[in-house]
Amino acid sequence: MIKSVLRGECDTSIAVKENLQENLVEIIKELPVETLAEVIDFAELLREKKCREQNGQTQMSERVLGLHEGQGWINKTARRILLRR
């Protein structure tokens, strides 16, 4: 059932959501504490991702070439290695 919901082949009504939540609760009850912390971290990650998507934000901000040019410091050895390329 979960796979069919993920593929969009199943109704995502409130009843289905409640059923999925019940299944998740049953699984969580059997997990050790260490694993529960990982589950919580993952769930929070998914929630944040969903919020970003709903707000139209991309996962990563765009990088701007040369934004910090001249503002950083690099040691002489690393500079020589980079300039050889």
Side-chain angles (χ1 to χ4, degrees):
M1 179 168 150
I2 294 173
K3 290 181 182 179
S4 60
V5 170
L6 295 175
R7 289 190 302 257
E9 301 170 355
C10 187
D11 181 26
T12 55
S13 67
I14 294 172
V16 171
K17 184 176 180 179
E18 289 174 355
N19 189 7
L20 290 172
Q21 289 172 337
E22 290 171 9
N23 289 341
L24 183 58
V25 168
E26 291 302 316
I27 293 169
I28 287 173
K29 286 179 180 178
E30 299 174 9
L31 295 175
V33 174
E34 301 82 21
T35 307
L36 287 176
E38 292 180 44
V39 171
I40 291 170
D41 287 343
F42 183 67
E44 288 174 347
L45 175 76
L46 292 175
R47 181 172 50 185
E48 289 172 12
K49 179 182 174 187
K50 187 68 174 172
C51 288
R52 282 193 309 267
E53 289 173 356
Q54 289 175 346
N55 293 332
Q57 297 173 345
T58 58
Q59 285 185 333
M60 295 178 59
S61 60
E62 292 183 26
R63 297 182 72 181
V64 178
L65 184 62
L67 179 65
H68 299 287
E69 188 174 348
Q71 296 179 14
W73 176 85
I74 188 168
N75 70 31
K76 291 178 184 178
T77 304
R79 184 184 309 274
R80 274 190 242 125
I81 292 169
L82 291 171
L83 291 176
R84 279 190 231 156
R85 294 180 184 183

